[in-house]
Amino acid sequence: MTANAEKQNLYLDNKISLTRVDPNCTHASALLLIHGWGASSDIWQGCIESLQQEFDIYLLDLPGHSLNKELSFSSVEDFVDQFKRQHFSTLPSRFSIIGWSLGGLLGSFLAQAFSDRVTSLVTIATNRRFVSDDGWSHAMPDAEFKKFNQQLSTVDQPSVLNRFYVLQTQGVSSTRNDLRNIKSLLSQATYSLEGLQQGLAWLASYDLLSCWDALTVPTLHQFGARDNLVPHDAASLVVDRYPDRALKVFQASAHLPFITERESWLASTVDFIRANSLQAIKKNDIEKSFSNAAKNYDSLAVFQHQVGRQLMSYLQANSARRVLDLGAGTGYFSESLRAHYSAADIVELDISSRMLASCQERAVSDFQVQADIEALPFEQSSFDIVFSNLSIQWCHDLDNVFKGLADILVDGGTAVLTTLVDGSLFELKQAWSNVDDAVHVNVFDNELKIKTSCEQSGLKLQQWLVEDDVQTFLTLQDLIQSVKNIGAHNMHPNRPKGLMGKNKYRQFVNAYSALQTSKGELPLTYRVLYMVLKK
């Protein structure tokens, strides 16, 4: 690991360990790296310095390998369930996954489990099945695999691993260099016999076809043309069955394209992840959505106004020189802010030009600014008060949002905010889960993630309250229209594209109808977080 690549081990209940590598850039998107069988996270060392320029990196050692040497799971599903329980809050709300060989198998299942949070998946030398059978011949022969597995129990472990390293590097012009490289990278790796045996059992028994069929995450499958363990013919599955997915075959590589053709591998991989790291919602989608809603917004935004009025009650009636209405929308609350702070300059900021045009019509403030909350165009210590009602849930990087708030507030300044948190619109999510695994509902951060981002900014929590606001509707059409009317419909990049079949929609309607209240009304829950922060 390079000297400036500081690592932080992230343990929860002394179970599955992750290692975080601090990024060398701001606003880095998150990336989870998973190595293959008989290796460790050190296998990525040759790529880490380059990846640091783009990503906030998390390294995962497989069960039975190095940091997770003592861990064992009966199945991949058990591992994924445990990982999700432990690291749901550890990982950023949006991240990509790169998995090599067996790591690609686990990465595929994790991408399926975190489908609403994973922005892209890259599998390296990962086969549909790693061991051939009657249904899939483009894999390692069963007899050869069994022989290798038997040797693990009867021959000393270093000799078996050394043979495996040779298999991974054979058949390319750089065999000697690659073999020397992999041995050096893994010189400090440690394993448990049980963990190695378990990994081989997973390689032998799992078929990724159903998992890959269900994946909605943008995926790049990478293969080495000279791979002795995963024949390059395995790529035919991607061509034939998944024509919309990206495929890259490295012509000079065997099982280790990220070592053999490192620069080409980095370029291909970073470009793919960068292109798909939309981090949940495109900014122009947000601007378009709320601009379209601007004309009738105030007549329809009953819920927003109700929440905003409660947020206003948290403001103290003291003197303020400058007040920022952050995510001002139509300027509905600027009038109330003026009543609180009659002598202050009120600045209205929103991403939507049409919303700001509505602000100008109210003529409460002479200062309207079209900008992104994650890139505030103000000098440090510019505002005494920041008011933000149901706006920051559309932001990608909460760490950056709260840091920005801390920068623009004067010492002693106050920010009062509301946002939606995980649990909002859960009825919609629950009903759609009965239909398919696609992302039909916007994803909201959980409380722990928000609180952590806030505390890291240096802002002090003065008040913290979470309330469920349950809206009810007589028809499902009215319920869905209410979400659309306020610009809060599904803008996730992995949302289903194109028209939906009648059968799917009927399934959705039936599932939601089962949630009717005793009065025959359909509920829709918004989980609202109220915050008062002090600098």
Side-chain angles (χ1 to χ4, degrees):
M1 189 65 62
T2 56
N4 62 341
E6 298 182 7
K7 290 184 175 181
Q8 303 171 3
N9 290 337
L10 303 174
Y11 290 94
L12 289 179
D13 300 326
N14 200 30
K15 296 293 179 68
I16 300 174
S17 173
L18 283 179
T19 302
R20 184 183 180 192
V21 182
D22 289 337
N24 282 346
C25 61
T26 57
H27 313 311
S29 57
L31 175 62
L32 175 64
L33 296 173
I34 314 174
H35 65 81
W37 184 88
S40 76
S41 291
D42 288 336
I43 198 69
W44 304 110
Q45 282 188 32
C47 304
I48 287 294
E49 187 170 2
S50 295
L51 292 174
Q52 272 184 293
Q53 309 309 313
E54 294 274 348
F55 304 110
D56 180 9
I57 300 171
Y58 293 77
L59 302 172
L60 172 62
D61 281 310
L62 299 179
H65 295 62
S66 286
L67 284 179
N68 290 317
K69 176 181 175 181
E70 305 304 321
L71 300 186
S72 177
F73 296 89
S74 60
S75 67
V76 170
E77 290 83 0
D78 285 347
F79 168 79
V80 170
D81 286 345
Q82 178 72 359
F83 184 92
K84 190 170 185 179
R85 282 195 298 270
Q86 288 186 238
H87 291 296
F88 186 89
S89 299
T90 303
L91 289 166
S93 57
R94 307 285 176 264
F95 61 98
S96 299
I97 298 175
I98 297 177
W100 166 54
S101 197
L102 176 57
L105 186 153
L106 293 182
S108 297
F109 278 94
L110 285 171
Q112 187 178 19
F114 286 87
S115 62
D116 55 353
R117 295 175 59 181
V118 173
T119 58
S120 60
L121 167 68
V122 178
T123 68
I124 311 167
T126 300
N127 208 342
R128 166 196 160 176
R129 280 188 62 87
F130 282 90
V131 182
S132 64
D133 64 4
D134 293 339
W136 186 246
S137 60
H138 306 306
M140 189 175 187
D142 182 59
E144 186 177 338
F145 182 86
K146 287 180 178 177
K147 180 180 178 181
F148 183 83
N149 196 2
Q150 184 179 17
Q151 289 178 339
L152 185 62
S153 302
T154 57
V155 182
D156 64 287
Q157 188 181 104
S159 297
V160 174
L161 290 172
N162 187 64
R163 177 171 177 253
F164 184 59
Y165 299 157
V166 171
L167 285 172
Q168 292 180 77
T169 56
Q170 277 182 337
V172 297
S173 60
S174 58
T175 292
R176 288 188 177 181
N177 286 336
D178 289 354
L179 183 58
R180 184 164 51 248
N181 202 344
I182 191 174
K183 287 183 177 180
S184 174
L185 289 171
L186 299 177
S187 61
Q188 302 300 314
T190 57
Y191 314 96
S192 69
L193 177 60
E194 181 183 6
L196 291 173
Q197 290 173 330
Q198 179 185 73
L200 288 181
W202 289 353
L203 287 170
S205 60
Y206 277 87
D207 187 330
L208 279 169
L209 190 63
S210 60
C211 175
W212 282 355
D213 282 352
L215 276 181
T216 58
V217 174
T219 303
L220 167 61
H221 297 280
Q222 299 174 332
F223 297 90
R226 303 174 184 274
D227 197 335
N228 293 288
L229 300 172
V230 179
H232 72 273
D233 288 342
S236 63
L237 177 73
V238 180
V239 175
D240 297 337
R241 196 177 185 95
Y242 310 114
D244 294 334
R245 292 189 188 168
L247 171 66
K248 174 70 175 178
V249 178
F250 294 90
Q251 297 300 324
S253 294
H255 202 60
L256 300 156
F258 58 95
I259 290 177
T260 308
E261 298 180 71
R262 183 179 65 178
E263 296 307 316
S264 177
W265 178 82
L266 282 168
S268 168
T269 304
V270 170
D271 285 349
F272 177 80
I273 295 176
R274 185 190 292 148
N276 288 285
S277 291
L278 304 178
Q279 302 185 49
I281 302 172
K282 294 180 181 178
K283 291 292 183 176
N284 60 340
D285 282 352
I286 298 173
E287 196 279 334
K288 180 179 178 181
S289 178
F290 283 99
S291 287
N292 289 341
K295 183 177 180 180
N296 300 311
Y297 190 86
D298 282 335
S299 64
L300 299 167
V302 177
F303 162 68
Q304 283 86 339
H305 294 165
Q306 175 185 326
V307 171
R309 282 190 290 272
Q310 182 168 337
L311 181 63
M312 288 294 302
S313 69
Y314 289 95
L315 287 171
Q316 296 180 352
N318 51 17
S319 60
R321 183 175 55 90
R322 298 188 77 192
V323 176
L324 175 62
D325 189 351
L326 189 64
T330 63
Y332 183 88
F333 285 103
S334 296
E335 295 176 348
S336 298
L337 290 171
R338 169 64 68 213
H340 264 73
Y341 308 106
S342 58
D345 291 331
I346 308 291
V347 178
E348 298 165 318
L349 180 145
D350 203 273
I351 198 171
S352 165
S353 58
R354 292 187 190 175
M355 289 290 191
L356 291 174
S358 297
C359 290
Q360 289 179 328
E361 290 176 5
R362 291 182 185 275
V364 173
S365 168
D366 292 328
F367 305 100
Q368 286 82 35
V369 179
Q370 184 178 10
D372 185 346
I373 292 176
E374 295 179 71
L376 296 175
F378 305 115
E379 295 181 357
Q380 290 189 343
S381 303
S382 292
F383 296 96
D384 303 283
I385 302 291
V386 175
F387 175 92
S388 182
N389 182 45
L390 295 176
S391 293
I392 66 170
Q393 66 267 15
W394 309 118
C395 296
H396 302 154
D397 186 347
L398 286 180
D399 292 347
N400 189 45
V401 169
F402 287 109
K403 182 180 182 302
L405 288 175
D407 286 344
I408 65 171
L409 280 172
V410 301
D411 288 340
T414 301
V416 295
L417 308 95
T418 55
T419 187
L420 299 179
V421 297
D422 185 37
S424 294
L425 311 182
F426 80 87
E427 298 93 347
L428 278 171
K429 188 173 183 178
Q430 179 180 324
W432 278 120
S433 69
N434 287 277
V435 179
D436 57 31
D437 294 324
V439 183
H440 292 275
V441 183
N442 284 321
V443 180
F444 302 103
D445 288 301
N446 59 49
E447 285 187 69
L448 178 59
K449 169 62 179 173
I450 298 171
K451 185 173 287 187
T452 300
S453 295
C454 180
E455 291 173 340
Q456 288 176 347
S457 73
L459 294 171
K460 294 180 173 59
L461 302 176
Q462 300 290 302
Q463 295 190 61
W464 185 277
L465 175 67
V466 175
E467 290 185 347
D468 281 350
D469 189 306
V470 183
Q471 308 284 304
T472 56
F473 301 86
L474 294 178
T475 69
L476 188 56
Q477 183 178 359
D478 289 343
L479 183 150
I480 295 173
Q481 192 61 45
S482 74
V483 179
K484 291 182 177 180
N485 284 342
I486 61 172
H489 56 284
N490 187 15
M491 292 178 278
H492 196 285
N494 294 336
R495 63 191 183 272
K497 305 296 192 297
L499 297 175
M500 179 181 300
K502 291 182 179 180
N503 288 337
K504 277 193 172 184
Y505 186 72
R506 190 177 298 112
Q507 285 178 275
F508 165 68
V509 171
N510 291 338
Y512 211 113
S513 297
L515 302 176
Q516 276 187 342
T517 68
S518 58
K519 296 181 179 179
E521 297 173 323
L522 297 171
L524 183 65
T525 300
Y526 290 94
R527 185 159 293 168
V528 184
L529 168 61
Y530 294 83
M531 291 174 280
V532 179
L533 313 175
K534 197 85 169 180
K535 181 176 178 181

Coordinates of all heavy atoms in Angstrom, one line a residue, residues 311-326 337 340-341 344-347 376 381-389 401-402 404-418 454 457-464 530-535:
L311 N -41.3 23.3 11.0 CA -39.9 23.7 11.1 C -39.7 25.2 11.5 O -38.8 25.5 12.2 CB -39.2 23.4 9.7 CG -37.8 23.7 9.6 CD1 -36.9 22.8 10.5 CD2 -37.3 23.5 8.1
M312 N -40.6 26.0 11.0 CA -40.5 27.4 11.4 C -40.6 27.6 12.9 O -40.0 28.6 13.4 CB -41.7 28.2 10.7 CG -41.5 28.4 9.2 SD -40.2 29.5 8.7 CE -40.5 31.0 9.6
S313 N -41.3 26.8 13.6 CA -41.4 26.9 15.0 C -40.1 26.7 15.8 O -39.9 27.1 16.9 CB -42.5 25.9 15.6 OG -42.0 24.6 15.5
Y314 N -39.1 26.1 15.1 CA -37.8 25.9 15.7 C -36.9 27.1 15.6 O -35.8 27.2 16.2 CB -37.1 24.7 15.0 CG -37.7 23.4 15.3 CD1 -38.6 22.8 14.5 CD2 -37.3 22.7 16.5 CE1 -39.2 21.5 14.8 CE2 -37.9 21.4 16.8 CZ -38.8 20.9 15.9 OH -39.4 19.7 16.2
L315 N -37.3 28.1 14.8 CA -36.5 29.3 14.7 C -36.7 30.2 15.9 O -37.8 30.4 16.4 CB -36.9 30.1 13.4 CG -36.5 29.5 12.1 CD1 -37.1 30.2 10.9 CD2 -34.9 29.5 12.0
Q316 N -35.6 30.8 16.4 CA -35.7 31.8 17.5 C -35.8 33.2 16.9 O -35.1 33.5 15.9 CB -34.5 31.6 18.4 CG -34.4 30.3 19.0 CD -33.1 30.2 19.9 OE1 -32.3 31.1 19.9 NE2 -33.1 29.1 20.7
A317 N -36.6 34.0 17.5 CA -36.8 35.3 17.0 C -35.7 36.3 17.5 O -35.9 37.1 18.4 CB -38.2 35.8 17.5
N318 N -34.5 36.1 17.0 CA -33.4 36.9 17.3 C -32.9 37.7 16.1 O -33.4 37.5 15.0 CB -32.2 36.1 17.9 CG -31.8 35.0 17.0 OD1 -32.2 34.9 15.9 ND2 -31.1 34.0 17.6
S319 N -32.0 38.6 16.3 CA -31.5 39.4 15.2 C -30.7 38.6 14.2 O -29.9 37.7 14.6 CB -30.7 40.6 15.7 OG -29.6 40.1 16.4
A320 N -30.8 38.9 12.9 CA -30.0 38.2 11.9 C -29.7 39.1 10.8 O -30.6 39.9 10.4 CB -30.7 36.9 11.4
R321 N -28.5 39.1 10.3 CA -28.1 40.0 9.2 C -28.5 39.4 7.9 O -29.0 40.1 7.0 CB -26.6 40.3 9.3 CG -26.1 41.2 8.3 CD -24.6 41.5 8.6 NE -23.8 40.3 8.6 CZ -23.3 39.7 7.5 NH1 -23.3 40.3 6.4 NH2 -22.6 38.6 7.6
R322 N -28.2 38.1 7.7 CA -28.5 37.5 6.4 C -29.1 36.1 6.7 O -28.6 35.3 7.5 CB -27.2 37.3 5.6 CG -26.6 38.7 5.2 CD -25.5 38.4 4.2 NE -26.0 38.2 2.8 CZ -25.2 37.8 1.8 NH1 -24.0 37.5 2.0 NH2 -25.7 37.6 0.6
V323 N -30.1 35.8 5.9 CA -30.9 34.5 6.1 C -30.9 33.8 4.7 O -31.2 34.5 3.7 CB -32.3 34.7 6.6 CG1 -33.0 33.4 6.7 CG2 -32.2 35.4 8.0
L324 N -30.6 32.5 4.7 CA -30.6 31.8 3.5 C -31.8 30.8 3.5 O -31.9 30.0 4.4 CB -29.3 31.0 3.3 CG -29.3 30.0 2.1 CD1 -29.4 30.8 0.8 CD2 -28.0 29.2 2.1
D325 N -32.7 30.9 2.5 CA -33.7 29.9 2.3 C -33.2 28.9 1.3 O -33.2 29.1 0.1 CB -35.0 30.6 1.7 CG -36.2 29.7 1.7 OD1 -36.0 28.4 1.9 OD2 -37.3 30.1 1.4
L326 N -32.7 27.8 1.8 CA -32.0 26.8 1.0 C -32.9 25.8 0.4 O -33.5 25.0 1.1 CB -30.9 26.1 1.9 CG -29.9 25.2 1.2 CD1 -29.0 26.0 0.3 CD2 -29.1 24.5 2.3
L337 N -40.1 33.9 6.9 CA -38.7 34.2 7.3 C -38.6 35.7 7.4 O -38.0 36.3 8.3 CB -37.7 33.7 6.3 CG -37.5 32.2 6.3 CD1 -36.7 31.7 5.1 CD2 -36.9 31.7 7.6
H340 N -40.1 36.8 10.6 CA -39.2 36.5 11.8 C -38.0 37.5 11.8 O -37.6 37.9 12.9 CB -38.6 35.1 11.6 CG -39.4 34.1 12.4 ND1 -40.6 33.6 12.1 CD2 -39.1 33.4 13.6 CE1 -41.1 32.7 12.9 NE2 -40.2 32.6 13.9
Y341 N -37.4 37.8 10.6 CA -36.2 38.6 10.6 C -36.4 39.8 9.6 O -36.0 39.8 8.5 CB -35.1 37.7 10.1 CG -34.9 36.4 10.9 CD1 -35.3 35.2 10.4 CD2 -34.4 36.4 12.2 CE1 -35.2 34.0 11.1 CE2 -34.3 35.3 12.9 CZ -34.7 34.1 12.4 OH -34.6 32.9 13.1
A344 N -33.4 41.6 8.0 CA -32.3 40.7 7.4 C -32.5 40.7 5.9 O -33.6 40.9 5.3 CB -32.4 39.3 7.9
D345 N -31.4 40.5 5.2 CA -31.4 40.1 3.8 C -31.8 38.7 3.7 O -31.2 37.8 4.3 CB -30.0 40.3 3.2 CG -29.6 41.8 3.1 OD1 -30.5 42.7 3.0 OD2 -28.4 42.1 3.1
I346 N -32.8 38.4 2.9 CA -33.3 37.1 2.6 C -32.8 36.6 1.3 O -33.1 37.3 0.3 CB -34.8 36.9 2.7 CG1 -35.4 37.6 3.9 CG2 -35.2 35.5 2.5 CD1 -35.1 36.8 5.2
V347 N -32.0 35.5 1.2 CA -31.5 35.0 0.0 C -32.2 33.7 -0.3 O -32.2 32.8 0.5 CB -29.9 34.8 0.1 CG1 -29.4 34.2 -1.2 CG2 -29.2 36.1 0.4
L376 N -22.4 25.3 -3.0 CA -22.9 26.6 -2.6 C -22.0 27.7 -3.0 O -20.8 27.7 -2.7 CB -23.1 26.7 -1.1 CG -24.2 25.7 -0.5 CD1 -24.2 25.7 1.0 CD2 -25.6 26.0 -1.1
S381 N -18.8 32.1 6.2 CA -19.4 33.0 7.3 C -20.3 34.0 6.6 O -20.3 35.2 7.0 CB -18.3 33.7 8.1 OG -17.5 32.7 8.7
S382 N -21.2 33.6 5.7 CA -22.1 34.5 5.0 C -23.4 34.7 5.7 O -24.1 35.7 5.5 CB -22.3 34.1 3.6 OG -21.1 34.2 2.8
F383 N -23.9 33.7 6.4 CA -25.3 33.7 6.9 C -25.4 33.4 8.4 O -24.6 32.6 9.0 CB -26.1 32.6 6.1 CG -26.2 32.9 4.7 CD1 -25.4 32.3 3.8 CD2 -27.2 33.8 4.2 CE1 -25.5 32.6 2.4 CE2 -27.3 34.1 2.9 CZ -26.4 33.5 2.0
D384 N -26.3 34.1 9.0 CA -26.6 33.8 10.4 C -27.6 32.7 10.6 O -27.6 31.9 11.6 CB -27.2 35.1 11.0 CG -26.3 36.3 10.9 OD1 -25.4 36.4 11.7 OD2 -26.6 37.1 10.0
I385 N -28.5 32.6 9.6 CA -29.6 31.5 9.7 C -29.7 30.8 8.3 O -29.6 31.5 7.3 CB -31.0 32.2 10.0 CG1 -30.9 32.9 11.3 CG2 -32.0 31.1 10.0 CD1 -30.8 32.0 12.5
V386 N -29.8 29.5 8.3 CA -30.1 28.8 7.1 C -31.4 28.0 7.4 O -31.4 27.2 8.4 CB -28.9 27.8 6.7 CG1 -29.4 26.9 5.5 CG2 -27.7 28.6 6.4
F387 N -32.3 28.1 6.5 CA -33.6 27.4 6.6 C -33.7 26.5 5.4 O -33.6 27.0 4.2 CB -34.8 28.4 6.7 CG -36.2 27.8 6.6 CD1 -36.8 27.5 7.8 CD2 -36.8 27.6 5.4 CE1 -38.1 27.0 7.8 CE2 -38.1 27.0 5.4 CZ -38.7 26.7 6.6
S388 N -34.0 25.2 5.6 CA -34.1 24.3 4.5 C -35.2 23.3 4.7 O -35.0 22.5 5.6 CB -32.8 23.6 4.2 OG -32.9 22.8 3.1
N389 N -36.2 23.4 4.0 CA -37.4 22.5 4.2 C -37.5 21.4 3.0 O -37.7 21.8 1.9 CB -38.7 23.3 4.2 CG -39.9 22.4 4.5 OD1 -39.9 21.5 5.4 ND2 -41.0 22.6 3.8
V401 N -22.7 18.4 1.8 CA -23.8 19.3 2.2 C -23.6 19.9 3.5 O -23.6 21.2 3.7 CB -25.2 18.5 2.2 CG1 -26.2 19.4 2.8 CG2 -25.5 18.2 0.7
F402 N -23.3 19.1 4.5 CA -23.1 19.6 5.9 C -21.8 20.4 6.0 O -21.8 21.4 6.8 CB -23.2 18.5 6.9 CG -24.6 18.0 7.1 CD1 -25.0 16.7 6.7 CD2 -25.6 18.7 7.7 CE1 -26.2 16.2 6.8 CE2 -26.9 18.3 7.9 CZ -27.2 17.0 7.4
G404 N -20.6 22.2 3.6 CA -21.0 23.5 3.0 C -21.8 24.4 4.0 O -21.5 25.6 4.0
L405 N -22.7 23.8 4.7 CA -23.5 24.5 5.7 C -22.5 25.1 6.8 O -22.7 26.3 7.2 CB -24.5 23.7 6.3 CG -25.7 23.3 5.5 CD1 -26.6 22.3 6.2 CD2 -26.5 24.5 5.1
A406 N -21.6 24.3 7.2 CA -20.7 24.8 8.3 C -19.8 25.9 7.8 O -19.5 26.8 8.5 CB -19.8 23.6 8.7
D407 N -19.5 25.8 6.5 CA -18.6 26.9 5.9 C -19.4 28.2 5.8 O -18.8 29.3 6.1 CB -18.2 26.5 4.5 CG -17.1 25.4 4.5 OD1 -16.5 25.3 5.6 OD2 -16.8 24.8 3.5
I408 N -20.6 28.2 5.4 CA -21.3 29.5 5.1 C -22.0 30.1 6.4 O -22.4 31.3 6.4 CB -22.4 29.3 4.0 CG1 -23.5 28.4 4.5 CG2 -21.8 28.8 2.7 CD1 -24.7 28.3 3.5
L409 N -22.1 29.3 7.5 CA -22.7 29.9 8.7 C -21.6 30.7 9.5 O -20.4 30.3 9.5 CB -23.2 28.7 9.6 CG -24.5 28.2 9.3 CD1 -24.8 26.9 10.1 CD2 -25.7 29.2 9.5
V410 N -22.0 31.8 10.1 CA -21.2 32.5 11.0 C -21.0 31.7 12.3 O -21.8 30.8 12.6 CB -21.7 33.9 11.3 CG1 -21.9 34.7 10.0 CG2 -23.0 33.8 12.0
D411 N -20.0 32.0 13.0 CA -19.8 31.4 14.3 C -21.1 31.7 15.2 O -21.5 32.9 15.3 CB -18.6 31.9 15.1 CG -17.3 31.3 14.4 OD1 -17.4 30.3 13.7 OD2 -16.2 31.9 14.6
G412 N -21.7 30.7 15.7 CA -22.9 30.9 16.5 C -24.2 30.8 15.6 O -25.3 30.9 16.1
G413 N -24.0 30.7 14.3 CA -25.1 30.6 13.4 C -25.9 29.3 13.5 O -25.4 28.3 14.1
T414 N -27.1 29.3 13.0 CA -28.0 28.2 13.2 C -28.6 27.8 11.8 O -28.9 28.6 11.0 CB -29.2 28.6 14.1 OG1 -28.7 29.0 15.4 CG2 -30.2 27.4 14.3
A415 N -28.7 26.4 11.7 CA -29.3 25.9 10.5 C -30.5 25.0 11.0 O -30.3 24.2 11.9 CB -28.4 25.0 9.7
V416 N -31.7 25.3 10.4 CA -32.8 24.4 10.7 C -33.3 23.7 9.5 O -33.4 24.4 8.4 CB -34.0 25.2 11.3 CG1 -33.6 25.8 12.7 CG2 -34.5 26.3 10.4
L417 N -33.4 22.4 9.5 CA -33.6 21.7 8.3 C -34.6 20.5 8.5 O -34.7 20.0 9.6 CB -32.3 21.0 7.8 CG -31.1 21.9 7.6 CD1 -30.2 21.8 8.8 CD2 -30.3 21.4 6.4
T418 N -35.3 20.2 7.5 CA -36.0 18.9 7.4 C -35.6 18.1 6.2 O -35.1 18.7 5.2 CB -37.5 19.1 7.3 OG1 -37.8 20.0 6.2 CG2 -38.1 19.8 8.6
C454 N -23.4 14.9 9.6 CA -23.5 16.2 10.3 C -22.4 16.4 11.4 O -21.8 17.4 11.4 CB -24.9 16.2 11.0 SG -25.2 17.7 11.9
S457 N -19.0 17.3 10.1 CA -18.8 18.7 9.6 C -18.4 19.7 10.7 O -18.0 20.8 10.5 CB -20.1 19.2 9.0 OG -21.1 19.4 10.0
G458 N -18.6 19.2 12.0 CA -18.3 20.1 13.1 C -19.5 20.8 13.6 O -19.5 21.5 14.7
L459 N -20.7 20.7 12.9 CA -21.9 21.3 13.4 C -22.4 20.5 14.6 O -22.3 19.3 14.7 CB -23.0 21.3 12.3 CG -22.7 22.2 11.1 CD1 -23.7 21.9 10.0 CD2 -22.7 23.7 11.5
K460 N -23.0 21.3 15.6 CA -23.5 20.6 16.8 C -25.0 20.4 16.7 O -25.7 21.3 16.3 CB -23.2 21.5 18.0 CG -21.7 21.6 18.3 CD -21.4 22.5 19.5 CE -19.9 22.5 19.9 NZ -19.1 23.0 18.8
L461 N -25.4 19.2 17.1 CA -26.8 18.9 17.1 C -27.5 19.5 18.3 O -27.3 19.2 19.4 CB -27.0 17.4 17.1 CG -26.4 16.6 16.0 CD1 -26.6 15.1 16.2 CD2 -26.9 17.0 14.6
Q462 N -28.5 20.4 18.0 CA -29.3 21.0 19.1 C -30.6 20.3 19.3 O -31.0 20.1 20.4 CB -29.5 22.5 18.7 CG -28.3 23.3 18.6 CD -27.6 23.6 19.9 OE1 -28.1 24.1 20.8 NE2 -26.3 23.2 19.9
Q463 N -31.2 19.9 18.2 CA -32.5 19.2 18.2 C -32.5 18.2 17.1 O -32.0 18.4 16.0 CB -33.7 20.1 18.2 CG -33.8 21.1 19.3 CD -35.1 21.8 19.4 OE1 -36.2 21.2 19.4 NE2 -35.1 23.1 19.3
W464 N -33.1 17.0 17.4 CA -33.2 15.9 16.4 C -34.5 15.2 16.6 O -34.7 14.6 17.7 CB -32.0 15.0 16.6 CG -31.8 13.9 15.6 CD1 -32.4 12.7 15.6 CD2 -31.0 13.9 14.5 NE1 -32.0 11.9 14.5 CE2 -31.1 12.7 13.8 CE3 -30.1 14.9 13.9 CZ2 -30.4 12.3 12.7 CZ3 -29.4 14.5 12.8 CH2 -29.6 13.3 12.2
Y530 N -36.4 16.3 11.6 CA -36.3 17.8 11.9 C -35.0 17.9 12.6 O -34.7 17.2 13.6 CB -37.4 18.2 12.8 CG -38.8 18.2 12.2 CD1 -39.5 17.0 12.2 CD2 -39.4 19.4 11.7 CE1 -40.8 17.0 11.6 CE2 -40.6 19.4 11.1 CZ -41.3 18.2 11.0 OH -42.6 18.1 10.5
M531 N -34.2 18.9 12.1 CA -32.8 19.1 12.7 C -32.6 20.6 13.0 O -33.0 21.5 12.2 CB -31.7 18.7 11.7 CG -31.6 17.2 11.5 SD -30.4 16.9 10.2 CE -31.4 17.3 8.7
V532 N -32.0 20.9 14.2 CA -31.5 22.2 14.5 C -30.0 22.0 14.8 O -29.6 21.3 15.7 CB -32.2 22.8 15.7 CG1 -31.6 24.2 16.0 CG2 -33.7 22.9 15.5
L533 N -29.2 22.7 14.0 CA -27.7 22.6 14.1 C -27.1 24.0 14.4 O -27.6 25.0 13.9 CB -27.2 22.1 12.7 CG -27.9 20.9 12.1 CD1 -27.3 20.6 10.7 CD2 -27.8 19.7 13.0
K534 N -26.1 23.9 15.2 CA -25.4 25.1 15.6 C -23.9 25.1 15.2 O -23.3 24.0 15.4 CB -25.5 25.3 17.1 CG -25.3 26.7 17.6 CD -26.5 27.5 17.6 CE -26.3 28.8 18.3 NZ -27.5 29.7 18.2
K535 N -23.4 26.2 14.8 CA -22.0 26.3 14.5 C -21.2 26.9 15.7 O -21.7 27.9 16.2 CB -21.7 27.1 13.2 CG -20.2 27.2 12.9 CD -20.0 27.9 11.6 CE -18.5 28.0 11.3 NZ -18.2 28.7 10.1

